[in-house]
Amino acid sequence: MTDSTPPTPSLFPRRLAVAATAAATLALLSPAAALAQPAAYPNKAIKLVVPYAPGGSADIAARLITDEWGKALGGSLFIENKGGAGGNIGVDMVAKSAPDGYTVGLQTVSLAINPSLTAKMPYDTLKDLAPIGMVASSQHVLVVNNALPAKNIKELVALLKAQPGKYSYGSAGAGSTFHMSAELFKAVAGTPIVHIPYRGGGPAMIDTMSGQVALSFPVLSAAQPHVQAGKLRALGVTGTKRSALMPDVPTIAEAGLPGYAFETWFIVFAPAGTPKPVVDKLNTTLNQALNTPALKERMAKDGFDPIPSTPEQARARLEKEMPQWAKLIRERGITAE
């Protein structure tokens, strides 16, 4: 008897197709194939080099941003303090690191100042570094010993001009932002003041309080407790606007010295040659972090004003300010020695 049931279609070609697909998938998952695929960035912790000892303004700025920036990146950042030579050692470490996005640095306005202060730089600021973005700015404040008769900026300028060479100011060291803010004051006011460099801003403030030096230009957040306690008298903040930390203290410009303005700013950078997609991701996520309410609040308490930017804007700021500082340093004969 003949079976009239239609023949079942063969499953063999379908099995071949499934097997081929599985083989292709296994090939993609093989070690060799996996190595050939670009890994998602970041896939390990990123080192953020701070070219100063812990506790200074750059270190504080770095510690403020790492958590929020890490969250935005989907990774983590850890800080390595590498001080020395006015920040040049730490910056040079970044400049000579692999341009893979896993070593970046944070420096102050000294990145624009140091090339004109140092006879032999270990790196070229504009050629060896890739700016990622600006972080924040912070002000200094002109404080005087309580025994000094000057009660405001105009009286201070008159006193310094009347007795040239008698008074001195303390700084955190030759070439520091304390030093440069004071030298800019001398240039705008046309007043002679003797420079006494210290090993850090703390000792300079202590000697201002004791009267060993007449005045100094510390970071505003560091000086605030001493001003509130009545141990120092604040005559003016160095920025273009009053600070929320000391709202009753005028800017130096509005207090009688038009044309004076100085702010410490902070910039993040990578080694030159870092791929643009990596720089762009670092920049985008940094700006996201700077715009979070939590980080804004923490920064404000320490006297920082966030200044998000593009990499191009950060580079433009460097290119604009480097010749300005070079001119002041040359005209005033300032050295880092």
Side-chain angles (χ1 to χ4, degrees), residues 56-57 109-110 113 140-141 143 169-185 195 198 200-205 216-220 222-223 238 260 262 264:
S57 59
V109 65
S110 292
I113 294 171
H140 291 243
V141 57
V143 293
Y169 74 91
S171 81
S176 66
T177 54
F178 287 55
H179 181 196
M180 302 310 295
S181 56
E183 289 297 324
L184 183 60
F185 180 87
H195 176 215
Y198 288 81
M205 271 202 300
S216 59
F217 287 75
V219 175
L220 192 150
T238 62
Y260 179 89
F262 177 88
T264 295

PDB file of all heavy atoms in Angstrom, residues 56-57 109-110 113 140-141 143 169-185 195 198 200-205 216-220 222-223 238 260 262 264:
ATOM      1  N   GLY A  56      46.106  72.263  49.619  1.00  0.00           N
ATOM      2  CA  GLY A  56      46.054  73.535  48.928  1.00  0.00           C
ATOM      3  C   GLY A  56      44.790  73.662  48.094  1.00  0.00           C
ATOM      4  O   GLY A  56      43.970  72.742  48.013  1.00  0.00           O
ATOM      5  N   SER A  57      44.630  74.816  47.437  1.00  0.00           N
ATOM      6  CA  SER A  57      43.393  75.069  46.695  1.00  0.00           C
ATOM      7  C   SER A  57      43.212  74.102  45.528  1.00  0.00           C
ATOM      8  O   SER A  57      42.085  73.673  45.242  1.00  0.00           O
ATOM      9  CB  SER A  57      43.368  76.519  46.200  1.00  0.00           C
ATOM     10  OG  SER A  57      44.481  76.793  45.361  1.00  0.00           O
ATOM     11  N   VAL A 109      45.980  78.628  37.577  1.00  0.00           N
ATOM     12  CA  VAL A 109      46.421  79.645  36.621  1.00  0.00           C
ATOM     13  C   VAL A 109      47.937  79.604  36.429  1.00  0.00           C
ATOM     14  O   VAL A 109      48.462  80.141  35.445  1.00  0.00           O
ATOM     15  CB  VAL A 109      45.961  81.043  37.093  1.00  0.00           C
ATOM     16  CG1 VAL A 109      46.630  81.426  38.398  1.00  0.00           C
ATOM     17  CG2 VAL A 109      46.222  82.115  36.043  1.00  0.00           C
ATOM     18  N   SER A 110      48.639  78.934  37.321  1.00  0.00           N
ATOM     19  CA  SER A 110      50.088  78.782  37.173  1.00  0.00           C
ATOM     20  C   SER A 110      50.466  78.091  35.867  1.00  0.00           C
ATOM     21  O   SER A 110      51.606  78.213  35.404  1.00  0.00           O
ATOM     22  CB  SER A 110      50.668  77.985  38.347  1.00  0.00           C
ATOM     23  OG  SER A 110      50.570  78.734  39.545  1.00  0.00           O
ATOM     24  N   ILE A 113      51.225  80.920  33.884  1.00  0.00           N
ATOM     25  CA  ILE A 113      52.267  81.778  34.454  1.00  0.00           C
ATOM     26  C   ILE A 113      53.660  81.148  34.363  1.00  0.00           C
ATOM     27  O   ILE A 113      54.642  81.811  34.018  1.00  0.00           O
ATOM     28  CB  ILE A 113      51.935  82.104  35.925  1.00  0.00           C
ATOM     29  CG1 ILE A 113      50.662  82.949  35.996  1.00  0.00           C
ATOM     30  CG2 ILE A 113      53.095  82.812  36.618  1.00  0.00           C
ATOM     31  CD1 ILE A 113      50.130  83.130  37.419  1.00  0.00           C
ATOM     32  N   HIS A 140      41.368  85.531  45.796  1.00  0.00           N
ATOM     33  CA  HIS A 140      42.249  85.793  46.935  1.00  0.00           C
ATOM     34  C   HIS A 140      41.685  87.020  47.650  1.00  0.00           C
ATOM     35  O   HIS A 140      40.752  87.671  47.161  1.00  0.00           O
ATOM     36  CB  HIS A 140      43.677  86.048  46.460  1.00  0.00           C
ATOM     37  CG  HIS A 140      44.347  84.830  45.901  1.00  0.00           C
ATOM     38  ND1 HIS A 140      45.471  84.269  46.458  1.00  0.00           N
ATOM     39  CD2 HIS A 140      44.057  84.050  44.832  1.00  0.00           C
ATOM     40  CE1 HIS A 140      45.842  83.203  45.765  1.00  0.00           C
ATOM     41  NE2 HIS A 140      44.998  83.060  44.765  1.00  0.00           N
ATOM     42  N   VAL A 141      42.253  87.336  48.783  1.00  0.00           N
ATOM     43  CA  VAL A 141      41.815  88.515  49.518  1.00  0.00           C
ATOM     44  C   VAL A 141      43.046  89.203  50.106  1.00  0.00           C
ATOM     45  O   VAL A 141      43.970  88.540  50.591  1.00  0.00           O
ATOM     46  CB  VAL A 141      40.804  88.143  50.635  1.00  0.00           C
ATOM     47  CG1 VAL A 141      41.381  87.132  51.613  1.00  0.00           C
ATOM     48  CG2 VAL A 141      40.328  89.382  51.383  1.00  0.00           C
ATOM     49  N   VAL A 143      44.707  90.875  52.929  1.00  0.00           N
ATOM     50  CA  VAL A 143      44.528  91.003  54.378  1.00  0.00           C
ATOM     51  C   VAL A 143      45.748  91.689  54.972  1.00  0.00           C
ATOM     52  O   VAL A 143      46.873  91.540  54.480  1.00  0.00           O
ATOM     53  CB  VAL A 143      44.312  89.632  55.061  1.00  0.00           C
ATOM     54  CG1 VAL A 143      42.990  89.019  54.629  1.00  0.00           C
ATOM     55  CG2 VAL A 143      45.460  88.667  54.769  1.00  0.00           C
ATOM     56  N   TYR A 169      55.226  91.963  52.236  1.00  0.00           N
ATOM     57  CA  TYR A 169      54.087  91.049  52.147  1.00  0.00           C
ATOM     58  C   TYR A 169      54.602  89.612  52.088  1.00  0.00           C
ATOM     59  O   TYR A 169      55.695  89.342  51.587  1.00  0.00           O
ATOM     60  CB  TYR A 169      53.206  91.364  50.932  1.00  0.00           C
ATOM     61  CG  TYR A 169      53.782  90.947  49.587  1.00  0.00           C
ATOM     62  CD1 TYR A 169      53.503  89.679  49.058  1.00  0.00           C
ATOM     63  CD2 TYR A 169      54.572  91.813  48.831  1.00  0.00           C
ATOM     64  CE1 TYR A 169      54.010  89.291  47.834  1.00  0.00           C
ATOM     65  CE2 TYR A 169      55.077  91.434  47.605  1.00  0.00           C
ATOM     66  CZ  TYR A 169      54.792  90.170  47.105  1.00  0.00           C
ATOM     67  OH  TYR A 169      55.303  89.778  45.893  1.00  0.00           O
ATOM     68  N   GLY A 170      53.801  88.700  52.600  1.00  0.00           N
ATOM     69  CA  GLY A 170      54.174  87.297  52.572  1.00  0.00           C
ATOM     70  C   GLY A 170      53.421  86.565  51.478  1.00  0.00           C
ATOM     71  O   GLY A 170      52.271  86.885  51.164  1.00  0.00           O
ATOM     72  N   SER A 171      54.094  85.579  50.869  1.00  0.00           N
ATOM     73  CA  SER A 171      53.448  84.769  49.834  1.00  0.00           C
ATOM     74  C   SER A 171      53.652  83.296  50.132  1.00  0.00           C
ATOM     75  O   SER A 171      54.448  82.925  50.997  1.00  0.00           O
ATOM     76  CB  SER A 171      54.016  85.093  48.447  1.00  0.00           C
ATOM     77  OG  SER A 171      55.237  84.409  48.233  1.00  0.00           O
ATOM     78  N   ALA A 172      52.966  82.448  49.384  1.00  0.00           N
ATOM     79  CA  ALA A 172      53.101  80.997  49.541  1.00  0.00           C
ATOM     80  C   ALA A 172      54.336  80.470  48.835  1.00  0.00           C
ATOM     81  O   ALA A 172      54.549  79.259  48.777  1.00  0.00           O
ATOM     82  CB  ALA A 172      51.857  80.293  49.008  1.00  0.00           C
ATOM     83  N   GLY A 173      55.154  81.355  48.310  1.00  0.00           N
ATOM     84  CA  GLY A 173      56.371  80.962  47.622  1.00  0.00           C
ATOM     85  C   GLY A 173      56.541  81.740  46.334  1.00  0.00           C
ATOM     86  O   GLY A 173      55.565  82.242  45.754  1.00  0.00           O
ATOM     87  N   ALA A 174      57.774  81.855  45.868  1.00  0.00           N
ATOM     88  CA  ALA A 174      58.051  82.578  44.628  1.00  0.00           C
ATOM     89  C   ALA A 174      57.321  81.913  43.472  1.00  0.00           C
ATOM     90  O   ALA A 174      57.406  80.704  43.280  1.00  0.00           O
ATOM     91  CB  ALA A 174      59.550  82.604  44.364  1.00  0.00           C
ATOM     92  N   GLY A 175      56.590  82.717  42.720  1.00  0.00           N
ATOM     93  CA  GLY A 175      55.846  82.201  41.582  1.00  0.00           C
ATOM     94  C   GLY A 175      54.459  81.690  41.911  1.00  0.00           C
ATOM     95  O   GLY A 175      53.696  81.329  41.006  1.00  0.00           O
ATOM     96  N   SER A 176      54.098  81.671  43.196  1.00  0.00           N
ATOM     97  CA  SER A 176      52.771  81.191  43.592  1.00  0.00           C
ATOM     98  C   SER A 176      51.708  82.205  43.216  1.00  0.00           C
ATOM     99  O   SER A 176      51.995  83.367  42.899  1.00  0.00           O
ATOM    100  CB  SER A 176      52.723  80.942  45.098  1.00  0.00           C
ATOM    101  OG  SER A 176      52.867  82.168  45.805  1.00  0.00           O
ATOM    102  N   THR A 177      50.441  81.786  43.267  1.00  0.00           N
ATOM    103  CA  THR A 177      49.356  82.718  42.969  1.00  0.00           C
ATOM    104  C   THR A 177      49.301  83.838  44.006  1.00  0.00           C
ATOM    105  O   THR A 177      48.911  84.965  43.684  1.00  0.00           O
ATOM    106  CB  THR A 177      48.010  81.984  42.886  1.00  0.00           C
ATOM    107  OG1 THR A 177      47.806  81.232  44.083  1.00  0.00           O
ATOM    108  CG2 THR A 177      47.974  81.042  41.696  1.00  0.00           C
ATOM    109  N   PHE A 178      49.691  83.563  45.261  1.00  0.00           N
ATOM    110  CA  PHE A 178      49.796  84.614  46.290  1.00  0.00           C
ATOM    111  C   PHE A 178      50.774  85.689  45.792  1.00  0.00           C
ATOM    112  O   PHE A 178      50.509  86.885  45.895  1.00  0.00           O
ATOM    113  CB  PHE A 178      50.361  84.038  47.590  1.00  0.00           C
ATOM    114  CG  PHE A 178      49.431  83.156  48.377  1.00  0.00           C
ATOM    115  CD1 PHE A 178      48.831  82.052  47.816  1.00  0.00           C
ATOM    116  CD2 PHE A 178      49.183  83.425  49.719  1.00  0.00           C
ATOM    117  CE1 PHE A 178      48.003  81.236  48.540  1.00  0.00           C
ATOM    118  CE2 PHE A 178      48.352  82.609  50.464  1.00  0.00           C
ATOM    119  CZ  PHE A 178      47.756  81.510  49.873  1.00  0.00           C
ATOM    120  N   HIS A 179      51.913  85.216  45.300  1.00  0.00           N
ATOM    121  CA  HIS A 179      52.969  86.101  44.829  1.00  0.00           C
ATOM    122  C   HIS A 179      52.489  86.940  43.643  1.00  0.00           C
ATOM    123  O   HIS A 179      52.655  88.167  43.608  1.00  0.00           O
ATOM    124  CB  HIS A 179      54.188  85.247  44.431  1.00  0.00           C
ATOM    125  CG  HIS A 179      55.370  86.024  43.957  1.00  0.00           C
ATOM    126  ND1 HIS A 179      56.405  85.440  43.265  1.00  0.00           N
ATOM    127  CD2 HIS A 179      55.681  87.345  44.030  1.00  0.00           C
ATOM    128  CE1 HIS A 179      57.312  86.356  42.959  1.00  0.00           C
ATOM    129  NE2 HIS A 179      56.899  87.524  43.420  1.00  0.00           N
ATOM    130  N   MET A 180      51.858  86.277  42.672  1.00  0.00           N
ATOM    131  CA  MET A 180      51.476  86.976  41.455  1.00  0.00           C
ATOM    132  C   MET A 180      50.342  87.965  41.695  1.00  0.00           C
ATOM    133  O   MET A 180      50.300  89.036  41.083  1.00  0.00           O
ATOM    134  CB  MET A 180      51.088  85.962  40.376  1.00  0.00           C
ATOM    135  CG  MET A 180      52.185  84.956  40.037  1.00  0.00           C
ATOM    136  SD  MET A 180      53.813  85.696  39.696  1.00  0.00           S
ATOM    137  CE  MET A 180      53.453  86.611  38.227  1.00  0.00           C
ATOM    138  N   SER A 181      49.415  87.640  42.582  1.00  0.00           N
ATOM    139  CA  SER A 181      48.337  88.587  42.878  1.00  0.00           C
ATOM    140  C   SER A 181      48.896  89.847  43.532  1.00  0.00           C
ATOM    141  O   SER A 181      48.428  90.965  43.269  1.00  0.00           O
ATOM    142  CB  SER A 181      47.280  87.940  43.767  1.00  0.00           C
ATOM    143  OG  SER A 181      47.833  87.435  44.968  1.00  0.00           O
ATOM    144  N   ALA A 182      49.920  89.683  44.372  1.00  0.00           N
ATOM    145  CA  ALA A 182      50.554  90.840  45.016  1.00  0.00           C
ATOM    146  C   ALA A 182      51.365  91.661  44.023  1.00  0.00           C
ATOM    147  O   ALA A 182      51.357  92.902  44.063  1.00  0.00           O
ATOM    148  CB  ALA A 182      51.443  90.369  46.163  1.00  0.00           C
ATOM    149  N   GLU A 183      52.066  90.976  43.121  1.00  0.00           N
ATOM    150  CA  GLU A 183      52.862  91.700  42.133  1.00  0.00           C
ATOM    151  C   GLU A 183      51.970  92.481  41.178  1.00  0.00           C
ATOM    152  O   GLU A 183      52.312  93.582  40.747  1.00  0.00           O
ATOM    153  CB  GLU A 183      53.768  90.729  41.366  1.00  0.00           C
ATOM    154  CG  GLU A 183      54.916  90.166  42.182  1.00  0.00           C
ATOM    155  CD  GLU A 183      55.891  91.241  42.643  1.00  0.00           C
ATOM    156  OE1 GLU A 183      56.137  92.209  41.879  1.00  0.00           O
ATOM    157  OE2 GLU A 183      56.403  91.129  43.772  1.00  0.00           O
ATOM    158  N   LEU A 184      50.821  91.924  40.858  1.00  0.00           N
ATOM    159  CA  LEU A 184      49.865  92.653  40.027  1.00  0.00           C
ATOM    160  C   LEU A 184      49.352  93.881  40.775  1.00  0.00           C
ATOM    161  O   LEU A 184      49.198  94.965  40.193  1.00  0.00           O
ATOM    162  CB  LEU A 184      48.701  91.739  39.637  1.00  0.00           C
ATOM    163  CG  LEU A 184      47.653  92.344  38.707  1.00  0.00           C
ATOM    164  CD1 LEU A 184      48.266  92.770  37.377  1.00  0.00           C
ATOM    165  CD2 LEU A 184      46.518  91.345  38.460  1.00  0.00           C
ATOM    166  N   PHE A 185      49.113  93.733  42.074  1.00  0.00           N
ATOM    167  CA  PHE A 185      48.695  94.871  42.903  1.00  0.00           C
ATOM    168  C   PHE A 185      49.764  95.966  42.875  1.00  0.00           C
ATOM    169  O   PHE A 185      49.454  97.153  42.703  1.00  0.00           O
ATOM    170  CB  PHE A 185      48.461  94.404  44.335  1.00  0.00           C
ATOM    171  CG  PHE A 185      48.033  95.491  45.285  1.00  0.00           C
ATOM    172  CD1 PHE A 185      46.690  95.820  45.437  1.00  0.00           C
ATOM    173  CD2 PHE A 185      48.980  96.196  46.026  1.00  0.00           C
ATOM    174  CE1 PHE A 185      46.295  96.832  46.312  1.00  0.00           C
ATOM    175  CE2 PHE A 185      48.597  97.206  46.906  1.00  0.00           C
ATOM    176  CZ  PHE A 185      47.250  97.519  47.041  1.00  0.00           C
ATOM    177  N   HIS A 195      58.892  91.591  49.016  1.00  0.00           N
ATOM    178  CA  HIS A 195      58.326  90.237  48.954  1.00  0.00           C
ATOM    179  C   HIS A 195      59.078  89.290  49.894  1.00  0.00           C
ATOM    180  O   HIS A 195      60.299  89.178  49.833  1.00  0.00           O
ATOM    181  CB  HIS A 195      58.419  89.704  47.514  1.00  0.00           C
ATOM    182  CG  HIS A 195      57.956  88.288  47.369  1.00  0.00           C
ATOM    183  ND1 HIS A 195      58.535  87.402  46.479  1.00  0.00           N
ATOM    184  CD2 HIS A 195      56.974  87.589  48.007  1.00  0.00           C
ATOM    185  CE1 HIS A 195      57.926  86.236  46.565  1.00  0.00           C
ATOM    186  NE2 HIS A 195      56.980  86.321  47.484  1.00  0.00           N
ATOM    187  N   TYR A 198      57.306  82.321  51.524  1.00  0.00           N
ATOM    188  CA  TYR A 198      57.231  81.277  52.543  1.00  0.00           C
ATOM    189  C   TYR A 198      57.028  79.925  51.861  1.00  0.00           C
ATOM    190  O   TYR A 198      56.751  79.854  50.661  1.00  0.00           O
ATOM    191  CB  TYR A 198      56.063  81.540  53.506  1.00  0.00           C
ATOM    192  CG  TYR A 198      56.277  82.693  54.444  1.00  0.00           C
ATOM    193  CD1 TYR A 198      56.058  84.010  54.023  1.00  0.00           C
ATOM    194  CD2 TYR A 198      56.688  82.489  55.754  1.00  0.00           C
ATOM    195  CE1 TYR A 198      56.248  85.082  54.874  1.00  0.00           C
ATOM    196  CE2 TYR A 198      56.876  83.556  56.625  1.00  0.00           C
ATOM    197  CZ  TYR A 198      56.655  84.851  56.180  1.00  0.00           C
ATOM    198  OH  TYR A 198      56.847  85.916  57.035  1.00  0.00           O
ATOM    199  N   GLY A 200      54.496  77.892  51.644  1.00  0.00           N
ATOM    200  CA  GLY A 200      53.064  77.658  51.790  1.00  0.00           C
ATOM    201  C   GLY A 200      52.326  78.888  52.278  1.00  0.00           C
ATOM    202  O   GLY A 200      52.904  79.798  52.902  1.00  0.00           O
ATOM    203  N   GLY A 201      51.013  78.912  52.018  1.00  0.00           N
ATOM    204  CA  GLY A 201      50.197  80.058  52.390  1.00  0.00           C
ATOM    205  C   GLY A 201      49.925  80.153  53.872  1.00  0.00           C
ATOM    206  O   GLY A 201      49.761  81.259  54.408  1.00  0.00           O
ATOM    207  N   GLY A 202      49.871  79.012  54.565  1.00  0.00           N
ATOM    208  CA  GLY A 202      49.604  79.023  55.998  1.00  0.00           C
ATOM    209  C   GLY A 202      50.620  79.819  56.788  1.00  0.00           C
ATOM    210  O   GLY A 202      50.249  80.718  57.572  1.00  0.00           O
ATOM    211  N   PRO A 203      51.923  79.539  56.615  1.00  0.00           N
ATOM    212  CA  PRO A 203      52.944  80.322  57.331  1.00  0.00           C
ATOM    213  C   PRO A 203      52.906  81.806  57.004  1.00  0.00           C
ATOM    214  O   PRO A 203      53.162  82.648  57.870  1.00  0.00           O
ATOM    215  CB  PRO A 203      54.258  79.687  56.859  1.00  0.00           C
ATOM    216  CG  PRO A 203      53.891  78.292  56.484  1.00  0.00           C
ATOM    217  CD  PRO A 203      52.515  78.397  55.905  1.00  0.00           C
ATOM    218  N   ALA A 204      52.576  82.148  55.754  1.00  0.00           N
ATOM    219  CA  ALA A 204      52.491  83.565  55.375  1.00  0.00           C
ATOM    220  C   ALA A 204      51.359  84.256  56.127  1.00  0.00           C
ATOM    221  O   ALA A 204      51.503  85.397  56.597  1.00  0.00           O
ATOM    222  CB  ALA A 204      52.285  83.698  53.868  1.00  0.00           C
ATOM    223  N   MET A 205      50.226  83.564  56.276  1.00  0.00           N
ATOM    224  CA  MET A 205      49.105  84.154  57.019  1.00  0.00           C
ATOM    225  C   MET A 205      49.434  84.279  58.506  1.00  0.00           C
ATOM    226  O   MET A 205      49.087  85.272  59.149  1.00  0.00           O
ATOM    227  CB  MET A 205      47.843  83.308  56.831  1.00  0.00           C
ATOM    228  CG  MET A 205      47.017  83.715  55.648  1.00  0.00           C
ATOM    229  SD  MET A 205      45.295  83.183  55.790  1.00  0.00           S
ATOM    230  CE  MET A 205      45.484  81.416  55.894  1.00  0.00           C
ATOM    231  N   SER A 216      49.248  90.161  53.176  1.00  0.00           N
ATOM    232  CA  SER A 216      49.392  89.012  52.290  1.00  0.00           C
ATOM    233  C   SER A 216      48.121  88.860  51.473  1.00  0.00           C
ATOM    234  O   SER A 216      47.119  89.543  51.713  1.00  0.00           O
ATOM    235  CB  SER A 216      49.706  87.729  53.077  1.00  0.00           C
ATOM    236  OG  SER A 216      48.678  87.447  54.011  1.00  0.00           O
ATOM    237  N   PHE A 217      48.163  87.962  50.493  1.00  0.00           N
ATOM    238  CA  PHE A 217      47.056  87.750  49.564  1.00  0.00           C
ATOM    239  C   PHE A 217      46.642  86.286  49.568  1.00  0.00           C
ATOM    240  O   PHE A 217      46.746  85.604  48.548  1.00  0.00           O
ATOM    241  CB  PHE A 217      47.457  88.167  48.148  1.00  0.00           C
ATOM    242  CG  PHE A 217      47.551  89.651  47.915  1.00  0.00           C
ATOM    243  CD1 PHE A 217      48.631  90.375  48.402  1.00  0.00           C
ATOM    244  CD2 PHE A 217      46.573  90.327  47.212  1.00  0.00           C
ATOM    245  CE1 PHE A 217      48.739  91.739  48.180  1.00  0.00           C
ATOM    246  CE2 PHE A 217      46.661  91.699  46.977  1.00  0.00           C
ATOM    247  CZ  PHE A 217      47.741  92.408  47.471  1.00  0.00           C
ATOM    248  N   PRO A 218      46.162  85.756  50.682  1.00  0.00           N
ATOM    249  CA  PRO A 218      45.800  84.339  50.728  1.00  0.00           C
ATOM    250  C   PRO A 218      44.514  84.038  49.949  1.00  0.00           C
ATOM    251  O   PRO A 218      43.749  84.948  49.601  1.00  0.00           O
ATOM    252  CB  PRO A 218      45.568  84.086  52.228  1.00  0.00           C
ATOM    253  CG  PRO A 218      45.149  85.413  52.758  1.00  0.00           C
ATOM    254  CD  PRO A 218      45.927  86.427  51.964  1.00  0.00           C
ATOM    255  N   VAL A 219      44.296  82.752  49.693  1.00  0.00           N
ATOM    256  CA  VAL A 219      43.021  82.322  49.116  1.00  0.00           C
ATOM    257  C   VAL A 219      41.915  82.694  50.094  1.00  0.00           C
ATOM    258  O   VAL A 219      42.044  82.518  51.304  1.00  0.00           O
ATOM    259  CB  VAL A 219      43.034  80.806  48.862  1.00  0.00           C
ATOM    260  CG1 VAL A 219      41.673  80.316  48.387  1.00  0.00           C
ATOM    261  CG2 VAL A 219      44.106  80.450  47.836  1.00  0.00           C
ATOM    262  N   LEU A 220      40.824  83.201  49.556  1.00  0.00           N
ATOM    263  CA  LEU A 220      39.763  83.757  50.386  1.00  0.00           C
ATOM    264  C   LEU A 220      39.218  82.742  51.398  1.00  0.00           C
ATOM    265  O   LEU A 220      39.005  83.069  52.564  1.00  0.00           O
ATOM    266  CB  LEU A 220      38.649  84.271  49.472  1.00  0.00           C
ATOM    267  CG  LEU A 220      37.564  85.156  50.091  1.00  0.00           C
ATOM    268  CD1 LEU A 220      37.040  86.131  49.050  1.00  0.00           C
ATOM    269  CD2 LEU A 220      36.418  84.328  50.618  1.00  0.00           C
ATOM    270  N   ALA A 222      40.659  80.272  52.812  1.00  0.00           N
ATOM    271  CA  ALA A 222      41.609  80.007  53.894  1.00  0.00           C
ATOM    272  C   ALA A 222      41.673  81.167  54.873  1.00  0.00           C
ATOM    273  O   ALA A 222      41.883  80.980  56.080  1.00  0.00           O
ATOM    274  CB  ALA A 222      43.000  79.735  53.313  1.00  0.00           C
ATOM    275  N   ALA A 223      41.487  82.385  54.377  1.00  0.00           N
ATOM    276  CA  ALA A 223      41.581  83.570  55.232  1.00  0.00           C
ATOM    277  C   ALA A 223      40.300  83.843  56.004  1.00  0.00           C
ATOM    278  O   ALA A 223      40.336  84.477  57.074  1.00  0.00           O
ATOM    279  CB  ALA A 223      41.934  84.789  54.376  1.00  0.00           C
ATOM    280  N   THR A 238      40.092  89.975  45.453  1.00  0.00           N
ATOM    281  CA  THR A 238      40.858  90.248  44.238  1.00  0.00           C
ATOM    282  C   THR A 238      40.075  90.116  42.943  1.00  0.00           C
ATOM    283  O   THR A 238      40.559  90.532  41.893  1.00  0.00           O
ATOM    284  CB  THR A 238      42.069  89.299  44.154  1.00  0.00           C
ATOM    285  OG1 THR A 238      41.580  87.940  44.074  1.00  0.00           O
ATOM    286  CG2 THR A 238      42.980  89.453  45.353  1.00  0.00           C
ATOM    287  N   TYR A 260      42.368  96.664  38.723  1.00  0.00           N
ATOM    288  CA  TYR A 260      42.958  95.486  39.359  1.00  0.00           C
ATOM    289  C   TYR A 260      41.945  94.348  39.397  1.00  0.00           C
ATOM    290  O   TYR A 260      40.797  94.540  39.827  1.00  0.00           O
ATOM    291  CB  TYR A 260      43.408  95.775  40.788  1.00  0.00           C
ATOM    292  CG  TYR A 260      43.998  94.543  41.457  1.00  0.00           C
ATOM    293  CD1 TYR A 260      45.350  94.264  41.345  1.00  0.00           C
ATOM    294  CD2 TYR A 260      43.191  93.648  42.159  1.00  0.00           C
ATOM    295  CE1 TYR A 260      45.893  93.116  41.922  1.00  0.00           C
ATOM    296  CE2 TYR A 260      43.724  92.505  42.736  1.00  0.00           C
ATOM    297  CZ  TYR A 260      45.073  92.249  42.611  1.00  0.00           C
ATOM    298  OH  TYR A 260      45.597  91.104  43.179  1.00  0.00           O
ATOM    299  N   PHE A 262      42.265  89.818  39.893  1.00  0.00           N
ATOM    300  CA  PHE A 262      43.027  88.568  39.862  1.00  0.00           C
ATOM    301  C   PHE A 262      42.167  87.444  40.433  1.00  0.00           C
ATOM    302  O   PHE A 262      41.596  87.580  41.510  1.00  0.00           O
ATOM    303  CB  PHE A 262      44.317  88.679  40.691  1.00  0.00           C
ATOM    304  CG  PHE A 262      45.094  87.387  40.735  1.00  0.00           C
ATOM    305  CD1 PHE A 262      46.032  87.095  39.754  1.00  0.00           C
ATOM    306  CD2 PHE A 262      44.875  86.441  41.733  1.00  0.00           C
ATOM    307  CE1 PHE A 262      46.734  85.894  39.771  1.00  0.00           C
ATOM    308  CE2 PHE A 262      45.577  85.252  41.768  1.00  0.00           C
ATOM    309  CZ  PHE A 262      46.508  84.976  40.777  1.00  0.00           C
ATOM    310  N   THR A 264      42.282  83.019  40.790  1.00  0.00           N
ATOM    311  CA  THR A 264      42.911  81.734  40.515  1.00  0.00           C
ATOM    312  C   THR A 264      41.886  80.868  39.804  1.00  0.00           C
ATOM    313  O   THR A 264      40.772  80.714  40.294  1.00  0.00           O
ATOM    314  CB  THR A 264      43.331  81.037  41.817  1.00  0.00           C
ATOM    315  OG1 THR A 264      44.350  81.810  42.454  1.00  0.00           O
ATOM    316  CG2 THR A 264      43.877  79.646  41.548  1.00  0.00           C
TER     317      THR A 264
END
